[in-house]
């Protein structure tokens, strides 16, 4: 059976600058794939390439169909939700409106309402701030709103860009606990970009290590976590 | 005393026109962060279309709604054909496009329909004086139409899914795409709506100022003053600003500077707002924690 997301020979960049030099990676349905690496390795660019935010070369297949070159909104409508760097929350709108936008392309109204309730259960603080402008939430709350917004698309694949960025350790723990729940309860595949390699490898089952736009190590997350030489030379812990 | 009351009421009636045009300006500003200088010319063209339909024997209200529909399509097409190709260009390019659009639409209107001033009908007539002769039927009708339009726009943006999608596309196009919204489509719709609102304003003001290709020139200036006064990023503020400018202009014209210098009032308002409070009276400061 092919993977949920298959990427082969992915090249991408910004204008004349090439950032990715031919990446191959997979995300399985119900699995978590982690992309690790230092700043500038091409992690964020990889996510942008998958959701069609930049020009790409190479193959990107989702559920067996090619999505390379499609418009971002068309890719979202296929069931790929993306929490971008900087979270992508609609700051000027209320928490409620952000929820409604998350489910914008869905037509199954009753299910949407049930998913609202599920998100309220997962993120009780968002319910308390229901009518508040999203820009007034704390950093952790905004990250939760960003994840809730993405989940409300009812995605088959979730792209998460540094969900721990700039957050206090306790909040990071909370967010990773929620990601475990997502994996168990929603059955969606997750492509996770993370600086916090330790946490990411605990959650992931597959991992790829990027260095300046190339994959230098790939394998099962559990094995990479055990491998001391990789940890020392690339992950720094 | 009656004179003062009449001036205020007449000011509210014209203020409603300014409020509509100000709203059209703000709608495009919110979606694109550009001021559409050609908004007035687009409204004039729409009014000429309505005039043509009426003189061809189409009943007023049928012509009214047909004009709104036609204007919507013209507005959306202008966005698709003229603005789409330059959407990522620097602001000066947009200023150039808008000025070009202003000249082209203005001259095309004159070329097609002629430069002679025309009488435009009002659907609001009464054989009895209203409110003791304080207000004309047309002023009352215009104000009512304006308020209905403003309410519809408010309800549309606030409570409908499409309205939410348009707001999302305006505030944060990148994220809007990520939730599956076709941002380009929303922009075209926004232009269409703005053109439709402008068309209504044009049809409401034409019976008072008479119809000619430069009809909206002064009105656009007042509307711009109203939009700035209320806050260029705040639709509700722009509407209030439009009404305020209408009343101020009328009172200043009647009691202070005389009718010849009325337009100066608009310019003074624009300069004062930009100097003292660039965000306008109700300009919203967006809070953001990081």
């Amino acid at each position: 059976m092919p993977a949920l997301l298959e990427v082969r020979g992915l090249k991408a960049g910004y204008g004349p600058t090439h950032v990715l030099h031919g990446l191959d990676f997979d995300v399985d349905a119900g699995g978590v794939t982690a992309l690790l690496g230092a700043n500038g390795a091409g992690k964020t660019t990889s996510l942008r390439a998958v959701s069609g935010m930049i020009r790409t070369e190479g193959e990107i297949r989702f559920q067996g169909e090619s999505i390379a070159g499609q418009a971002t909104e068309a890719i979202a409508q296929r069931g790929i939700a993306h929490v971008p760097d900087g979270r992508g929350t609609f700051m000027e709108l209320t928490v409620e409106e952000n929820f409604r936008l998350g489910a914008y392309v869905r037509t199954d109204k009753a299910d949407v309402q049930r998913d609202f309730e599920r998100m309220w259960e997962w993120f009780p603080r968002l319910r308390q701030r229901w009518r508040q402008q999203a820009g007034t939430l704390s950093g952790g709350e905004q990250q939760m709103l960003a994840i809730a917004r993405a989940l409300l698309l009812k995605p088959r694949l979730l792209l998460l860009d540094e969900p721990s960025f700039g957050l206090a350790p306790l909040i990071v723990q909370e967010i990773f606990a929620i990601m475990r729940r997502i994996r168990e309860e929603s059955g969606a595949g997750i492509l996770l970009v993370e600086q916090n390699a330790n946490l990411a490898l605990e959650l992931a089952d597959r991992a790829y290590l990027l260095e300046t736009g190339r994959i230098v190590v790939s394998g099962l997350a559990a094995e990479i976590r055990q491998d001391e030489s990789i940890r020392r030379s690339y992950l720094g812990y | 005393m009656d004179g003062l009351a009449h001036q205020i009421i007449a000011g509210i009636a014209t203020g409603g026109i300014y409020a509509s045009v100000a709203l059209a300006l703000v709608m495009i500003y919110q979606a694109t962060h550009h001021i559409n200088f050609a908004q007035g010319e687009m409204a004039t063209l729409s009014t000429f279309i309505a005039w043509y339909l009426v003189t061809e024997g189409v009943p007023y209200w049928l012509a009214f709604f047909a004009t709104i529909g036609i204007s919507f399509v013209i507005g959306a097409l202008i966005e698709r054909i003229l603005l789409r190709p330059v959407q990522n260009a620097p602001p000066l390019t947009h200023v150039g496009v808008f000025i070009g659009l202003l000249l082209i639409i203005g001259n095309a209107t004159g070329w097609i329909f002629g430069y002679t001033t025309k009488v435009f009908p009002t659907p609001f007539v009464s054989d009895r004086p209203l409110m003791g002769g304080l207000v004309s039927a047309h002023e009352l009708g215009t104000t009512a139409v304006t308020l209905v339009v403003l309410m519809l726009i408010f309800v549309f943006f606030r409570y409908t899914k499409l309205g939410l999608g348009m707001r999302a596309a305006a505030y944060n196009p990148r994220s809007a795409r990520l939730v599956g919204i076709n941002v380009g489509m929303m922009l075209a719709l926004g232009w269409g709506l703005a053109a439709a609102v402008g068309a209504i304003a044009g049809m409401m003001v034409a019976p008072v100022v008479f119809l000619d290709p430069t009809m909206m020139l002064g009105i656009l200036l007042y509307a711009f003053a109203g939009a700035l006064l209320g806050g260029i990023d705040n639709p509700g503020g722009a509407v209030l600003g439009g009404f305020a400018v209408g009343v101020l202009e009328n009172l200043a014209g009647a009691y202070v500077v005389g009718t010849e210098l009325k337009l100066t009032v608009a310019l003074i308002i624009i300069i004062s707002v930009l100097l003292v409070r660039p965000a306008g009276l109700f300009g919203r400061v967006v809070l953001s924690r990081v």
Side-chain angles (χ1 to χ4, degrees):
Chain A
M1 205 185 101
L4 177 69
L5 179 76
E6 296 169 287
V7 174
R8 297 290 176 269
L10 177 65
K11 292 182 184 174
Y14 304 93
T17 322
H18 287 279
V19 179
L20 306 179
H21 306 281
L23 304 187
D24 301 340
F25 59 86
D26 287 342
V27 182
D28 290 317
V32 178
T33 294
L35 296 181
L36 307 172
N39 277 332
K43 307 185 300 288
T44 294
T45 306
S46 302
L47 294 192
R48 288 185 183 156
V50 171
S51 59
M53 294 164 82
I54 50 173
R55 272 173 199 276
T56 58
E57 284 174 50
E59 282 178 51
I60 307 172
R61 278 194 304 274
F62 176 62
Q63 295 181 320
E65 289 174 45
S66 173
I67 55 166
Q70 292 194 358
T72 303
E73 57 265 28
I75 291 172
Q77 284 165 17
R78 281 172 176 263
I80 298 183
H82 186 163
V83 178
D85 58 319
R87 299 178 190 129
T89 306
F90 296 93
M91 298 286 191
E92 295 87 349
L93 304 178
T94 64
V95 172
E96 178 189 2
E97 286 167 332
N98 272 276
F99 266 54
R100 281 166 57 199
L101 283 165
Y104 192 82
V105 296
R106 289 174 58 182
T107 47
D108 47 343
K109 265 196 175 163
D111 275 4
V112 169
Q113 188 54 39
R114 208 171 314 137
D115 283 351
F116 273 27
E117 281 157 20
R118 194 152 64 124
M119 291 304 123
W120 288 340
E121 185 204 320
W122 287 13
F123 308 100
R125 275 194 279 174
L126 295 182
R127 187 172 195 179
Q128 289 162 19
R129 310 224 181 274
W130 195 235
R131 302 211 179 273
Q132 213 168 305
Q133 194 194 320
T136 65
L137 302 185
S138 73
E141 288 163 347
Q142 284 190 24
Q143 189 63 58
M144 290 175 191
L145 179 58
I147 294 174
R149 193 217 79 210
L151 287 175
L152 284 165
L153 183 73
K154 210 176 175 182
R156 302 308 311 148
L157 174 64
L158 181 62
L159 313 178
L160 286 170
D161 200 340
E162 303 238 17
S164 75
F165 185 77
L167 299 179
L170 264 179
I171 312 250
V172 172
Q173 293 291 347
E174 205 177 319
I175 284 183
F176 270 79
I178 285 161
M179 290 198 302
R180 266 180 216 108
R181 264 185 107 163
I182 296 170
R183 191 180 58 172
E184 283 154 24
E185 292 183 25
S186 81
I190 298 177
L191 180 56
L192 171 67
V193 157
E194 191 43 75
Q195 294 262 15
N196 190 333
N198 195 11
L199 268 175
L201 285 173
E202 265 177 45
L203 182 71
D205 32 46
R206 220 194 264 261
Y208 299 84
L209 231 111
L210 269 67
E211 209 174 48
T212 56
R214 288 185 179 81
I215 289 172
V216 288
V217 176
S218 68
L220 295 176
E223 285 170 13
I224 292 179
R225 205 152 45 121
Q226 302 300 326
D227 191 322
E228 204 154 317
S229 67
I230 296 176
R231 249 173 46 192
R232 284 232 186 90
S233 36
Y234 294 109
L235 304 175
Y237 72 90
Chain B
M1 206 45 223
D2 263 12
L4 178 66
H6 183 214
Q7 290 300 339
I8 291 174
I9 289 169
I12 290 173
T14 39
I17 307 292
Y18 305 156
S20 302
V21 180
L23 185 67
L25 286 174
V26 168
M27 279 164 63
I28 289 184
Y29 180 81
Q30 275 204 312
T32 62
H33 292 274
H34 297 297
I35 294 287
N36 178 14
F37 298 127
Q39 197 78 61
E41 266 58 28
M42 285 165 62
T44 308
L45 174 62
S46 299
T47 312
F48 267 104
I49 293 170
W51 171 83
Y52 175 78
L53 291 174
V54 170
T55 48
E56 289 295 306
V58 179
Y60 182 88
W61 288 110
L62 186 61
F64 179 84
F65 287 110
T67 301
I68 293 174
I70 294 168
S71 307
F72 180 91
V73 173
I74 293 177
L77 283 178
I78 287 177
E79 196 280 333
R80 284 264 137 161
I81 296 166
L82 289 176
L83 286 133
R84 181 64 48 87
V86 296
Q87 60 177 341
N88 295 318
L92 259 187
T93 309
H94 284 92
V95 174
V97 170
F98 287 138
I99 291 176
L101 203 55
L102 181 158
L103 293 172
I104 290 168
I105 296 179
N107 286 305
T109 305
W111 182 61
I112 298 169
F113 298 102
Y115 289 90
T116 51
T117 304
K118 293 171 176 66
V119 175
F120 192 83
T122 172
F124 308 109
V125 280
S126 165
D127 36 18
R128 295 180 290 117
L130 298 163
M131 292 166 70
L134 270 182
V135 58
S136 77
H138 179 74
E139 284 167 348
L140 208 60
T142 297
T143 313
V145 167
T146 308
L147 290 178
V148 168
V149 168
L150 298 177
M151 209 186 64
L152 286 178
I153 295 271
F154 174 79
V155 168
F156 171 75
F157 277 107
R158 191 84 199 174
Y159 296 109
T160 69
K161 186 176 169 179
L162 193 56
L164 178 65
M166 287 178 69
R167 280 191 293 152
Y171 281 131
N172 194 338
R174 206 177 73 145
S175 293
R177 285 191 189 97
L178 288 179
V179 297
I181 293 171
N182 185 337
V183 172
M185 183 67 79
M186 296 297 140
L187 275 181
L189 279 180
W191 269 80
L193 269 183
V197 172
I200 297 172
M203 289 185 280
M204 289 296 112
V205 79
V208 181
V209 299
F210 300 107
L211 180 58
D212 74 59
T214 60
M215 171 182 86
M216 293 299 275
L217 219 56
I219 289 163
L220 187 73
L221 209 55
Y222 289 120
F224 187 54
L228 272 180
L229 182 66
I232 192 75
D233 57 356
N234 181 335
V239 165
L240 280 178
F243 277 109
V245 168
V247 173
L248 267 177
E249 169 234 27
N250 239 0
L251 291 180
Y255 300 109
V256 189
V257 294
T259 44
E260 308 226 310
L261 283 177
K262 264 164 108 174
L263 203 56
T264 320
V265 175
L267 295 168
I268 290 172
I269 292 173
I270 291 174
I271 292 168
S272 319
V273 171
L274 289 178
L275 280 177
V276 180
R277 201 181 151 84
L281 292 180
F282 308 100
R284 193 159 56 132
V285 179
V286 175
L287 299 171
S288 170
R289 272 165 73 167
V290 284

